[in-house]
Amino acid sequence: MEIETKCIQSGYNPGNGEPRQIPIVQSTTFKYNSGTDMAKLFDLEAEGYFYSRLQNPTNDAVAAKIAALEGGSAAILTSSGMAAVFFALFNICSCGDHIVSSSTIYGGSYNLMSVTMKRMGIECTFIDPDCTPEELEQAFRPNTKAVYGETIANPALNVLDIEKFAAAAHRHGVPLIVDNTFATPVNCRPFEWGADIVVHSTSKYMDGHGAVLGGAVVDSGKFDWTKNAEKFPGLTTPDESYHGIVYADRFGLEGAYITKLSAQLMRDFGSTPSPYNSYILNLGLESLPVRMARHCENALKIAEFLSEHDKISWVKYCGLPGDKYYALGQKYMPGGSCGVISFGVRGGRENAERFMQGLKVASIETHVADARTCCLHPASTTHRQMNDEELIRAGVPGDLVRYSCGLENAKDLIEDIDAALAALDI
């Protein structure tokens, strides 16, 4: 099936007389006729549900749809995008391990790896995504367990050279994990370019209406955890909390990673989405291809307008011919990238903030990738924990405005921007 059909049909196939829409299974627990039946679930010897902290039918149906959209073997939903990023890494990393990550990533993800996971004994080396293959090679250590990047960096809008990062990761026997939130599987499917794990903040384009928090982790099912078994003991050695089960042996390449994430991390951390949130997410997924086309159409028109405005010092949008990442964008996302534009207002940080305050249609929000247009000054908000040097490395200069084009008419958005810029005394 094509992506538009998968957005509607995948994940849930009702039988005769069953609900056409995915049912909301609003229950914490599930009844069984015998303790023996339930024991098989706790031993991972049978499929089924016993407590929604680990699995829930509504969540699983939506996760299966996202797996189908990405071309993966299995997926799991989480309560937020940040939970998805953490689980994707922590599922294969532990104290004493090391991660290689692109430096131009979302501020929350940067803080997770540089501060919180560092306190857990997991170190991270951040590297310029535009580095040479030789420079990337130097970032690896014997204890490196994963490589991480974003298809389209938030808010720097760098386009990750997925093939370059995948090749480096695989030379060292570790997976490439890619955050595909901005592109969505409608515009890019990282597995087709060598990525092994994909994560999403489903709160963004997938929901599309700013209604519910959520995240997803998708496994390609192709990475061979047993090839360098000593690097991934959690998957290749017995788990004594499940009577010595070895995930890679029991569930194979296609099921080991997500099964372990569900059986261990969800069991112990409980970052589970509510079934109702997953139901709302599914409604957003059904219209995702239609909305992404409009987001990209609006973004290109606005990027073109901004690139010719004398009060704008620079514009970043990979769909704009002449952009530094135009060639990579055409390679990985020939049908369109996303609806987010980054640009600099002449006069620096102060004028950037004054510009945003002058907008009437677009609103100032932490959110992004919504049906409604919104904007943000990242250096003062999502990336404010970084010093000036870290901001530059992350591709977030002080004058950067992140502008997320909604589904409104592009003419109205351009007039709104033009009026806010006209009010600036530059």
Side-chain angles (χ1 to χ4, degrees), residues 16 115 142 160 204 295 335:
N16 186 47
V115 178
L160 187 74
K204 307 304 188 295
H295 283 299

Side-chain angles (χ1 to χ4, degrees), residues 298-317 320 340-346 355 359 401-403 405 413-414 416-418 421:
N298 280 354
L300 183 57
K301 289 179 180 178
I302 292 169
E304 290 171 342
F305 168 78
L306 290 169
S307 67
E308 298 175 357
H309 203 289
D310 60 2
K311 292 185 179 180
I312 298 297
S313 53
W314 56 270
V315 179
K316 270 192 176 183
Y317 185 66
L320 193 65
V340 182
I341 306 165
S342 289
F343 56 90
V345 180
R346 292 194 185 281
F355 160 75
L359 295 169
V401 173
R402 184 185 72 184
Y403 188 91
C405 303
L413 297 177
I414 290 172
D416 187 40
I417 293 170
D418 197 29
L421 288 172

Side-chain angles (χ1 to χ4, degrees), residues 164-406:
K164 178 179 74 175
F165 274 75
H170 297 160
R171 277 196 300 272
H172 291 269
V174 301
L176 171 62
I177 301 174
V178 174
D179 184 330
N180 198 32
T181 296
F182 269 18
T184 82
V186 170
N187 288 336
C188 182
R189 284 172 290 282
F191 294 152
E192 296 176 3
W193 300 99
D196 303 289
I197 309 293
V198 161
V199 297
H200 285 277
S201 170
T202 61
S203 321
K204 307 304 188 295
Y205 286 122
M206 284 187 167
D207 165 18
H209 301 84
V212 289
L213 288 174
V217 182
V218 190
D219 182 17
S220 68
K222 296 177 181 178
F223 189 83
D224 189 350
W225 307 103
T226 64
K227 190 174 181 180
N228 295 280
E230 72 285 353
K231 287 182 175 289
F232 309 105
L235 289 161
T236 60
T237 62
D239 178 1
E240 298 306 327
S241 68
Y242 280 105
H243 308 292
I245 191 172
V246 177
Y247 294 99
D249 292 346
R250 176 71 67 86
F251 302 102
L253 301 186
E254 295 186 346
Y257 179 87
I258 293 297
T259 301
K260 176 181 179 294
L261 198 160
S262 174
Q264 278 189 358
L265 302 191
M266 278 300 185
R267 176 195 66 191
D268 296 341
F269 289 92
S271 296
T272 314
S274 117
Y276 179 75
N277 282 17
S278 298
Y279 173 85
I280 296 296
L281 168 60
N282 184 64
L283 296 180
L285 287 170
E286 291 180 349
S287 64
L288 182 61
V290 181
R291 290 186 289 103
M292 288 306 295
R294 180 59 175 266
H295 283 299
C296 293
E297 177 187 341
N298 280 354
L300 183 57
K301 289 179 180 178
I302 292 169
E304 290 171 342
F305 168 78
L306 290 169
S307 67
E308 298 175 357
H309 203 289
D310 60 2
K311 292 185 179 180
I312 298 297
S313 53
W314 56 270
V315 179
K316 270 192 176 183
Y317 185 66
C318 71
L320 193 65
D323 184 87
K324 179 180 179 180
Y325 297 98
Y326 181 76
L328 276 179
Q330 292 301 300
K331 174 182 177 178
Y332 293 118
M333 298 166 284
S337 56
C338 69
V340 182
I341 306 165
S342 289
F343 56 90
V345 180
R346 292 194 185 281
R349 180 183 295 228
E350 183 177 339
N351 275 345
E353 294 180 349
R354 286 176 56 207
F355 160 75
M356 292 195 305
Q357 291 168 5
L359 295 169
K360 304 299 182 185
V361 178
S363 57
I364 301 173
E365 299 178 22
T366 305
H367 198 46
V368 69
D370 194 348
R372 291 162 290 271
T373 296
C374 54
C375 62
L376 191 72
H377 184 246
S380 300
T381 53
T382 56
H383 289 66
R384 70 177 296 119
Q385 77 275 8
M386 296 182 180
N387 58 40
D388 290 342
E389 183 181 334
E390 289 173 327
L391 284 171
I392 295 300
R393 285 205 305 268
V396 188
D399 63 343
L400 185 152
V401 173
R402 184 185 72 184
Y403 188 91
S404 176
C405 303

